[in-house]
Amino acid sequence: MNSFPGYYDQKIIAAFLSLINTSRFAIAPDQPDRLVAEWNGLAIGDGSVRPTGKIGGIYVSARHQRLGIGRKLLQAIEAKSREDRLASLSLEATLPAVEFYVSLGFKRRKMVEHLLTITPLVSMCVVEMVKQL
Ligand SMILES: CC(C)(COP(=O)(O)OP(=O)(O)OC[C@H]1O[C@@H](n2cnc3c(N)ncnc32)[C@H](O)[C@@H]1OP(=O)(O)O)[C@@H](O)C(=O)NCCC(=O)NCCS
């Protein structure tokens, strides 16, 4: 499985994917800010936002990408954030996801190194992005 062909080398891709735990899809009560996209009882995407307005990332299963699921998750996060009277949303986008966030009104700030919480440490380039609500 390789969602990022041509963007990152295999070491970074493997480290990133090792942090995506599909058992997270089962949660809800203890993580009220995490949204799950379900289809026929299957979790096919998720997204989360902290009380500060920092989006933890939006993920859609490779087989279900480019169907509008990511947009729906982001719009739901935006609606909740407006209800919570947040002024803006921010996130660190993976390189192939930048155009997705741009299409939904986010502005690029700068490219930074993101340290993955894995041993030994691996870092990846991401783009800081922000959207005023
Ligand atoms: C980025 C991601 C969440 C997008 O989810 P998605 O459900 O495929 O996106 P959508 O179908 O809702 O796309 C909405 C719009 O975003 C833009 N877009 C989405 N993917 C794009 C791509 N790869 N390149 C350019 N534009 C893209 C398009 O304008 C699209 O509208 P259109 O299909 O009508 O042209 C998904 O590709 C993904 O999970 N990627 C891997 C994990 C990842 O890197 N997540 C980001 C972490 S910060």
Side-chain angles (χ1 to χ4, degrees):
M1 179 181 147
N2 182 353
S3 299
F4 314 131
Y7 288 94
Y8 298 116
D9 67 28
Q10 285 302 321
K11 189 178 76 165
I12 292 175
I13 291 168
F16 181 68
L17 292 180
S18 75
L19 295 174
I20 299 174
N21 178 359
T22 49
S23 68
R24 289 189 308 163
F25 291 150
I27 54 91
D30 58 329
Q31 294 195 30
D33 294 333
R34 184 170 293 280
L35 294 166
V36 176
E38 281 189 317
W39 179 74
N40 273 358
L42 279 179
I44 55 173
D46 88 339
S48 63
V49 60
R50 296 177 200 143
T52 56
K54 179 90 186 267
I55 291 179
I58 300 206
Y59 300 88
V60 174
S61 122
R63 286 173 57 198
H64 301 93
Q65 287 175 13
R66 216 55 197 264
L67 298 172
I69 295 163
R71 182 192 289 123
K72 282 186 89 163
L73 283 165
L74 194 49
Q75 286 170 344
I77 284 175
E78 283 188 23
K80 178 185 184 303
S81 302
R82 285 197 177 92
E83 273 175 26
D84 294 346
R85 301 193 179 282
L86 286 175
S88 63
L89 290 171
S90 63
L91 58 85
E92 289 182 345
T94 59
L95 299 180
V98 169
E99 291 307 322
F100 164 72
Y101 291 111
V102 166
S103 80
L104 290 157
F106 280 76
K107 306 280 184 221
R108 294 177 181 84
R109 278 284 163 85
K110 60 180 175 183
M111 196 176 281
V112 294
E113 288 282 323
H114 176 82
L115 270 186
L116 295 170
T117 51
I118 191 167
T119 308
L121 286 176
V122 174
S123 72
M124 63 192 286
C125 276
V126 294
V127 178
E128 285 184 0
M129 304 189 76
V130 67
K131 178 173 181 174
Q132 303 302 322
L133 294 177

